[in-house]
Amino acid sequence: MKSYLALLWTQTRKNYFLLAAFGFLFVITLGFWFLNTTNQNSPFLQQSELDRPQLEEALAVVQAEKGDAQAITAGLTRLDAAKQAYLKHDYQQAYRLTLKNYQAFPQLKANLTAPDEKIQLWHALAAADLPEVDLAHANNTILFSYRFLETVFPVLVVLVSAYVFGLIFRSSYAAKLNLDGLLPQRYWQILLEKLCFSTIIVLFGVALILGIVDLIAALFAGFGHTNYPISAYQAGQPALTNVTTILGKSIVLAGLIIPAIALTSLVLQQVTRNYLLTFFLTFFIFVGQAYLVTILKSFKTIVHFLPGFYLQVVGIATGSLAVTLGNVQITYQMGIKVISCYLAVMVGVMLLIGQLRQSRRH
């Protein structure tokens, strides 16, 4: 066993194509973080700029009719005071004044996307005394990790994983000769060792790349706040949770998906014995399942049974996909069950292939 694992390690560390794959992922991840640093904005301040014209227009109408403009003037004063408090990092005061404006002028809610969720978020940020962050361009360590799992993981990590698994598994073949079949170990043991080894390599590689970029983010943009509130859904209703909870759930799903990709690649490689075909099939099976419902709406009622769908780890963890697709079966717990069942079935298929190949030796 040790000698075979040593052989796998020797083959892997000398494989420059494998290193190039992880290098590609690192460059993309670092570039994604860099783009986020150059697109910083404050959603709170942007919102105040949307509210101002509406209050000024209302003030002009009231003044023209010689009505009482005192309330609207007070609203504009609060708007200016909230902006100044925010710029001075007095976030609690800024949110307090803004929320008071929204109570006094309910028509301002028309400027908000998902007004109830936004107001709920401001209450949570006021309690934690934190600035509002544009999650689409988050660049501190905690929130960038959130964005990485939301955007980079579902496609690019799967692409790199399928490529790396294919590189490792294709070393079993020289032309049509199965080199693993010449080894004295049981064939199913060889497959199991190769599966575990390749999965660890990919998990470690992805974690290392994200860790390095997160360290860079911490140095230049700060670590962030582990209790930053994130909009989520519980039983289809808007609710708030913190980013640490979402990250924890997302990482668990990601940690299960990668072995599932490895098993799929290994089984396909055993069947097709063709590296390129295995690579493309593995990639399109998982990414196709993840985004099939965006093309074929009829799949939205059964999509929760597809393991690849749970590549959208953040959307699953927050519950937003369940609301968007109108499918209450799409939950974090269902994801754990579906992926675990898929792993069990694929392990059974892998062991069956190993037994069949073993019997042909004798």
Side-chain angles (χ1 to χ4, degrees):
M1 179 177 178
K2 289 184 179 179
S3 60
Y4 183 64
L5 290 177
L7 174 63
L8 283 175
W9 171 245
T10 301
Q11 291 175 337
T12 301
R13 66 187 178 86
K14 291 183 178 181
N15 194 324
Y16 297 110
F17 289 104
L18 186 146
L19 294 176
F22 284 121
F24 168 76
L25 182 60
F26 173 73
V27 169
I28 294 295
T29 304
L30 183 62
F32 181 57
W33 174 80
F34 181 75
L35 287 175
N36 283 0
T37 65
T38 59
N39 289 279
Q40 290 297 296
N41 56 63
S42 169
F44 179 84
L45 295 179
Q46 285 185 329
Q47 191 63 51
S48 69
E49 294 304 315
L50 292 175
D51 293 342
R52 177 176 296 280
Q54 193 163 350
L55 287 177
E56 289 177 342
E57 182 179 350
L59 178 63
V61 171
V62 171
Q63 288 176 333
E65 296 176 353
K66 297 183 180 180
D68 186 3
Q70 185 176 356
I72 299 176
T73 303
L76 285 168
T77 301
R78 280 194 294 267
L79 191 67
D80 289 331
K83 181 177 180 179
Q84 292 304 314
Y86 195 88
L87 292 173
K88 293 177 181 178
H89 308 298
D90 186 359
Y91 303 116
Q92 288 183 331
Q93 176 71 352
Y95 295 126
R96 186 184 68 79
L97 291 170
T98 299
L99 289 168
K100 190 172 182 179
N101 251 11
Y102 276 80
Q103 289 175 345
F105 305 102
Q107 67 270 28
L108 291 179
K109 290 184 179 180
N111 295 329
L112 295 175
T113 301
D116 292 337
E117 295 175 36
K118 174 67 80 171
I119 290 173
Q120 191 179 35
L121 175 64
W122 281 341
H123 277 293
L125 289 170
D129 196 22
L130 295 174
E132 185 180 2
V133 176
D134 180 6
L135 292 179
H137 299 104
N139 67 340
N140 65 55
T141 297
I142 292 293
L143 293 181
F144 177 75
S145 299
Y146 172 93
R147 283 293 289 166
F148 174 88
L149 289 168
E150 184 180 36
T151 56
V152 176
F153 179 81
V155 177
L156 285 180
V157 171
V158 177
L159 177 68
V160 170
S161 298
Y163 179 77
V164 170
F165 289 136
L167 285 176
I168 294 175
F169 298 147
R170 78 170 181 175
S171 63
S172 302
Y173 298 93
K176 293 186 177 181
L177 179 64
N178 186 347
L179 300 178
D180 288 342
L182 304 177
L183 297 173
Q185 287 178 280
R186 292 181 181 275
Y187 194 75
W188 66 267
Q189 289 179 323
I190 293 172
L191 294 181
L192 189 59
E193 291 169 25
K194 188 168 289 191
L195 172 68
C196 294
F197 175 83
S198 59
T199 301
I200 290 171
I201 288 292
V202 171
L203 285 172
F204 177 78
V206 173
L208 180 63
I209 288 168
L210 181 57
I212 292 173
V213 177
D214 276 347
L215 180 60
I216 294 171
L219 292 173
F220 290 95
F223 184 76
H225 299 274
T226 56
N227 62 338
Y228 187 87
I230 296 291
S231 295
Y233 295 88
Q234 293 180 358
Q237 298 301 315
L240 281 179
T241 185
N242 59 64
V243 68
T244 305
T245 301
I246 300 302
L247 279 177
K249 291 181 177 181
S250 300
I251 289 170
V252 170
L253 285 174
L256 284 173
I257 280 285
I258 287 180
I261 297 170
L263 267 167
T264 304
S265 179
L266 179 58
V267 169
L268 287 174
Q269 185 76 21
Q270 293 295 311
V271 174
T272 66
R273 300 189 182 187
N274 185 300
Y275 162 65
L276 284 178
L277 182 58
T278 297
F279 165 67
F280 284 114
L281 283 176
T282 303
F283 176 73
F284 286 115
I285 283 172
F286 280 89
V287 174
Q289 288 179 18
Y291 297 103
L292 181 65
V293 73
T294 62
I295 303 171
L296 302 174
K297 299 295 184 182
S298 57
F299 276 83
K300 68 181 182 180
T301 58
I302 62 168
V303 74
H304 56 281
F305 292 120
L306 303 177
F309 177 73
Y310 295 95
L311 279 170
Q312 300 186 68
V313 292
V314 170
I316 302 298
T318 60
S320 61
L321 280 174
V323 173
T324 301
L325 298 178
N327 185 343
V328 297
Q329 298 296 321
I330 301 172
T331 64
Y332 168 72
Q333 291 78 10
M334 177 62 79
I336 298 293
K337 294 175 184 177
V338 169
I339 300 171
S340 297
C341 289
Y342 181 78
L343 286 171
V345 170
M346 293 303 288
V347 166
V349 172
M350 181 193 70
L351 294 177
L352 178 61
I353 291 174
Q355 291 287 2
L356 292 174
R357 294 284 169 83
Q358 184 71 29
S359 64
R360 291 179 183 177
R361 291 182 178 183
H362 305 292

